[in-house]
């Protein structure tokens, strides 16, 4: 019988703590959706289904990522790519209209971003150079597929994930990278909020209203007005379509404000917005504590941040395959290393096939105290 190294035990404890935090946050999101729906003729089924999809995808990613990380990420990338290409033909749960304007995003763009992220994560975890090149070529092809679907936002987001993945291969400080991704996401959310509140300079408002369209800006303004009228509980999950004047005047509207933070603010109040931000922060925290390499962690973080940006100006999170794919990607990037894997833990200093180094750059040798026979 042997005793595992102390470092591996600490990594396991940190992973357990992040899992507990995630369970608490997801449970709080479910409970609050029930509270905000109380007393209204509506139901929180859509919110609960999205939370279930995230949890199921995360658990599946953790399991499959421990057993076959590269193969699972590759299959996920191909599957998300196919779903993104088929979504315009009415795939159940992922139907979205592919728009020509950069601000019009939906399931297709979100699925293509997740496909690019999964392909880049597989490339970062692969050991053979030809396989890494092939997987990154798949990610580039995914970005080009977004152009074929006339989704400029999807192309820009998928290409950004690929570029971030290439840059992440040279980074060693994952905390700095994740903080930058969180800051960029926060700036986009703040921009959408400022547009809804009409607090930006007139010239900037006019330039943004073009790609966003006047209809989308009016939807955001309706959501913000409902949030001001019901700041704590909101109007209830799924009731935005009933109370928005813009939705009533729009032909073939999907009944959503096309902004996840503003929809949360209108339907579940400020508490819903805080819980949504906490869920995103938890995903980044899980990646920070992940035993995977920094390249894999930052690649997954870039994909999730790109998805959050799309959700801030579109309806990406309204589709079950997208939320399940986000959980799957986070689970893959935070899965425990298989026994005998040659990678390091949270510092990411050791890649596939590399060597770990001590404080003076010399390879550490196993000490007799690492494994003490009993």
């Amino acid at each position: 019988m042997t005793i595992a190294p102390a470092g591996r035990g600490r990594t396991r404890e940190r992973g357990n703590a992040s899992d507990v935090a995630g369970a608490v946050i997801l449970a709080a999101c479910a409970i609050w959706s029930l509270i905000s729906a109380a007393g209204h003729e509506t139901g929180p089924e859509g919110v609960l289904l999205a939370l279930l999809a995230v949890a199921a995808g995360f658990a599946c990613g953790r399991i499959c990522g421990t057993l076959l990380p590269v193969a699972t990420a590759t299959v996920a990338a191909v599957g998300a790519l196919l779903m993104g290409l088929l979504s315009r033909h009415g795939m159940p749960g992922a139907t979205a209209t592919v728009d020509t304007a950069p601000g019009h995003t939906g399931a297709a763009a979100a699925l293509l971003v997740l496909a690019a992220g999964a392909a880049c994560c597989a490339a970062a975890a692969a050991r053979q150079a030809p396989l890494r090149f092939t997987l990154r070529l798949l990610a580039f092809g995914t970005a080009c597929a977004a152009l074929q679907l006339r989704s400029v936002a999807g192309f820009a987001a998928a290409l950004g994930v690929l570029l971030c993945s290439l840059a992440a291969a040279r980074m060693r400080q994952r905390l700095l990278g994740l903080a930058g991704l969180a800051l960029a996401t926060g700036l986009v959310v703040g921009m959408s909020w400022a547009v809804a509140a009409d607090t930006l300079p007139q010239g900037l408002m006019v330039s943004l209203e073009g790609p966003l369209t006047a209809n989308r800006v009016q939807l955001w303004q309706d959501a913000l007005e409902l949030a001001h009228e019901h700041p704590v509980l909101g109007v209830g999950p799924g009731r935005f379509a009933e109370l928005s004047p813009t939705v009533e005047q729009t032909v073939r509207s999907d009944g959503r404000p096309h902004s996840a933070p503003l929809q949360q603010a209108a339907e579940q109040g400020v508490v819903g917005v805080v819980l949504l931000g906490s869920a995103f922060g938890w995903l980044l925290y899980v990646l920070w504590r992940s035993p995977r390499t920094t390249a894999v962690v930052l690649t997954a973080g870039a994909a999730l941040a790109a998805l959050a940006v799309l959700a801030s100006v579109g309806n990406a999170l309204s589709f079950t395959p997208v939320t399940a794919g986000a959980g799957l990607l986070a689970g893959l990037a935070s899965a425990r290393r298989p026994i005998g894997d040659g990678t390091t833990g949270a510092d990411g200093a050791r890649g596939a096939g590399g060597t770990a180094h001590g404080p003076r750059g010399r390879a550490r040798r196993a000490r007799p105290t690492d494994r003490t026979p009993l």
Side-chain angles (χ1 to χ4, degrees):
M1 184 176 180
T2 59
I3 298 178
R8 181 173 298 179
R10 288 192 296 268
T11 301
R12 185 178 294 109
E13 291 176 1
R14 292 194 297 264
N16 293 337
S18 63
D19 292 344
V20 172
V24 171
I25 291 174
L26 294 181
C29 292
I31 294 173
W32 184 253
S33 67
L34 295 174
I35 294 175
S36 61
H40 302 292
E41 295 182 358
T42 184
E45 292 83 3
V47 177
L48 297 178
L49 180 61
L51 294 173
L52 180 61
V54 172
F58 186 80
C60 182
R62 275 289 183 86
I63 296 172
C64 297
T66 300
L67 300 176
L68 297 169
V70 177
T72 303
T74 303
V75 171
V78 175
L81 174 59
L82 294 178
M83 292 182 67
L85 294 175
L86 295 175
S87 62
R88 58 177 177 173
H89 299 302
M91 175 175 290
T95 303
T97 301
V98 181
D99 303 289
T100 56
H104 295 198
T105 57
L111 288 170
L112 293 179
V113 166
L114 291 174
C120 291
C121 282
R127 300 188 178 186
Q128 296 80 11
L131 180 58
R132 291 196 297 269
F133 176 79
T134 302
L135 290 169
R136 284 171 178 150
L137 189 62
L138 173 62
F140 180 74
T142 300
C144 295
L147 284 181
Q148 183 181 2
L149 295 177
R150 297 183 300 173
S151 177
V152 179
F155 169 76
L159 185 61
V161 171
L162 176 59
L163 295 178
C164 288
S165 176
L166 294 175
R170 298 179 177 275
M171 291 189 65
R172 291 295 178 266
Q173 296 295 329
R174 65 174 61 182
L175 180 59
L176 182 61
L178 292 174
L181 294 173
L183 178 60
T185 304
L187 290 176
V188 174
V189 173
M191 181 274 298
S192 63
W193 212 283
V195 170
D198 196 12
T199 58
L200 296 176
Q202 187 63 27
L204 183 58
M205 280 290 298
V206 173
S207 62
L208 290 176
E209 188 173 329
L212 292 173
T213 73
N215 179 263
R216 186 178 302 270
V217 174
Q218 293 172 0
L219 289 172
W220 289 1
Q221 292 173 348
D222 290 349
L224 192 59
E225 183 177 353
L226 291 174
H228 287 160
E229 295 175 357
H230 307 272
V232 181
L233 293 176
V235 299
R239 296 194 65 210
F240 176 80
E242 302 176 13
L243 303 175
S244 171
T246 305
V247 172
E248 296 179 357
Q249 299 171 4
T250 304
V251 180
R252 299 179 61 183
S253 173
D254 60 2
R256 302 185 181 97
H258 287 250
S259 175
L262 288 171
Q263 182 173 355
Q264 283 289 98
E267 297 182 348
Q268 299 187 40
V270 64
V271 178
V273 176
V274 172
L275 290 174
L276 179 63
S278 299
F280 179 68
W282 165 66
L283 291 177
L284 295 183
Y285 176 78
V286 166
L287 294 178
W288 178 45
R289 291 301 191 182
S290 171
R292 297 294 180 179
T293 61
T294 299
V296 173
V297 166
L298 293 182
T299 298
L304 293 176
L307 178 61
V309 169
L310 293 179
S312 300
V313 296
N315 59 345
L317 297 185
S318 300
F319 305 94
T320 302
V322 175
T323 52
L328 177 65
L329 185 61
L332 286 172
S334 60
R336 293 184 176 91
R337 292 172 291 131
I339 298 176
D341 189 7
T343 57
T344 61
D347 58 356
R350 183 178 175 186
T355 58
H357 295 278
R360 298 184 179 180
R362 289 178 293 191
R364 294 194 302 267
R365 295 182 180 179
R367 298 180 179 180
T369 56
D370 290 339
R371 293 186 178 272
T372 306
L374 297 180

